[in-house]
Amino acid sequence: MAVQKAPKVLLFDIGGVCVVSPFQSILDYERRLGIPPGWINYSLSKAAPDGFWHRLERGEISLDDAFFAGFNEDLHNAERWAAFYSIQAAKNPGMAQEIPPVPNMDGRWLFNDMMTVSTAPDPWMFPALQRLKASGRFILAAMSNTVIFPEGHPLYRGDTHADPIRSIFDVFCSSAHVGLRKPDPRMYEHTLREVDRFARANAATEMGRALGWADGVQPNDVVFLDDIGENLKGGRRMGFRTIKVSLGKAFEAVDELEALTGLQLAGTHPRIPLGSMLNNTKSKL
């Protein structure tokens, strides 16, 4: 079996990889309201590419009252609810066959809870990131679908580089600042250009000389970690190697990183999956 060359770049998604997934908030909210699990995910993903969530992540609209009004509309789309409920009822004979009204949800509360939950570093991946950084063997980069919090919002940061997660990365590609979001192929192309530019600009450093950065970065020099299947497919189409980060079980991806890098990366957090319904829902936003 051919031995794969060591990567130059480890490229990370943020939500659900480096920090706790906002999908955990969604699942908890669905549980509390008695909503069939997966509805919120389905509703928002089916609004792509021009739903309010997607437009916010491309930086086309602001996080304001108009956004929350539109976000609520996307969450309460009757046609999508009927399609989703019919799919679920066909799988589960115990569900009522008559389609009930669209569940009533508070989009503003849900959005802010999702964002708050996903500020917490992932207990398995964050120690691995710190050890990868300390190793000095890789360009650490992020490619994330993000939102821009306005001044006055509880999650607003005047200096984003002071963030303990963001400060780890050599290159950070934010969808809301770039105007592109995964899985748009142009987002992957932009990110590859950015990591290539970083490598060449730092080729004369001790680390750059040791790791061959003068040659730049090719797609197969990149290993990309994400929790969403469509985003990983986009990475593979670009030529990246990929690692799937399963919801609530980032320790499995850390194992793969250890095998890939030969480094001891795991921290001391118990290897117990987060949540009890995680295997029943696929991330799609």
Side-chain angles (χ1 to χ4, degrees):
M1 183 169 61
V3 177
Q4 288 189 322
K5 66 176 182 178
K8 290 182 179 178
V9 179
L10 298 177
L11 176 61
F12 293 81
D13 177 34
I14 298 299
V17 176
C18 301
V19 299
V20 174
S21 174
F23 288 103
Q24 184 62 54
S25 168
I26 290 175
L27 287 168
D28 290 344
Y29 190 69
E30 289 173 332
R31 287 193 194 102
R32 287 195 296 271
L33 295 185
I35 298 171
W39 158 239
I40 294 172
N41 191 351
Y42 179 93
S43 175
L44 297 180
S45 65
K46 291 298 182 182
D50 292 319
F52 280 80
W53 177 278
H54 308 88
R55 292 167 60 196
L56 183 71
E57 287 193 330
R58 291 194 298 265
E60 296 171 358
I61 57 176
S62 300
L63 183 60
D64 54 19
D65 289 342
F67 163 75
F68 286 116
F71 184 59
N72 259 319
E73 288 179 15
D74 284 342
L75 287 172
H76 293 88
N77 183 283
E79 185 177 347
R80 288 198 290 269
W81 166 249
F84 171 80
Y85 190 89
S86 297
I87 293 168
Q88 300 306 308
K91 297 176 183 177
N92 183 359
M95 291 176 65
Q97 296 304 299
E98 182 178 350
I99 299 172
V102 181
N104 186 31
M105 294 170 286
D106 183 340
R108 184 186 295 265
W109 187 94
L110 173 63
F111 178 89
N112 285 321
D113 189 66
M114 290 168 64
M115 297 299 103
T116 301
V117 164
S118 59
T119 61
D122 183 88
W124 300 289
M125 191 60 73
F126 186 56
L129 279 169
Q130 292 175 311
R131 292 171 184 180
L132 286 167
K133 184 73 170 179
S135 76
R137 287 173 46 185
F138 308 97
I139 297 171
L140 297 183
M143 176 174 61
S144 183
N145 290 345
T146 59
V147 303
I148 297 173
F149 296 105
E151 192 169 353
H153 190 282
L155 297 180
Y156 170 79
R157 276 185 178 270
D159 181 7
T160 56
H161 296 286
D163 180 89
I165 296 288
R166 188 158 183 164
S167 62
I168 287 176
F169 294 104
D170 303 301
V171 176
F172 197 102
C173 296
S174 158
S175 68
H177 294 84
V178 173
L180 301 165
R181 70 185 295 278
K182 298 173 293 183
D184 187 330
R186 295 173 297 171
M187 183 61 166
Y188 300 84
E189 293 164 1
H190 169 83
T191 301
L192 182 62
R193 287 194 299 270
E194 290 300 304
V195 293
D196 179 73
R197 183 179 294 116
F198 177 87
R200 295 178 187 276
N202 292 277
T205 65
E206 181 179 355
M207 186 174 174
R209 291 194 302 271
L211 299 175
W213 289 358
D215 298 329
V217 176
Q218 300 301 315
N220 65 354
D221 291 322
V222 178
V223 173
F224 171 45
L225 295 89
D226 204 295
D227 60 324
I228 296 180
E230 285 301 312
N231 294 344
L232 292 167
K233 288 178 185 177
R236 289 192 290 273
R237 285 192 290 267
M238 187 70 192
F240 299 164
R241 290 175 272 172
T242 62
I243 294 175
K244 172 69 182 295
V245 182
S246 297
L247 185 58
K249 297 189 290 185
F251 55 83
E252 295 176 344
V254 173
D255 289 345
E256 291 192 54
L257 282 172
E258 287 190 335
L260 177 73
T261 63
L263 297 173
Q264 171 63 45
L265 301 175
T268 59
H269 195 76
R271 294 165 62 92
I272 302 172
L274 297 174
S276 59
M277 297 172 62
L278 300 180
N279 293 329
N280 296 333
T281 303
K282 292 183 178 180
S283 307
K284 293 183 181 178
L285 289 187

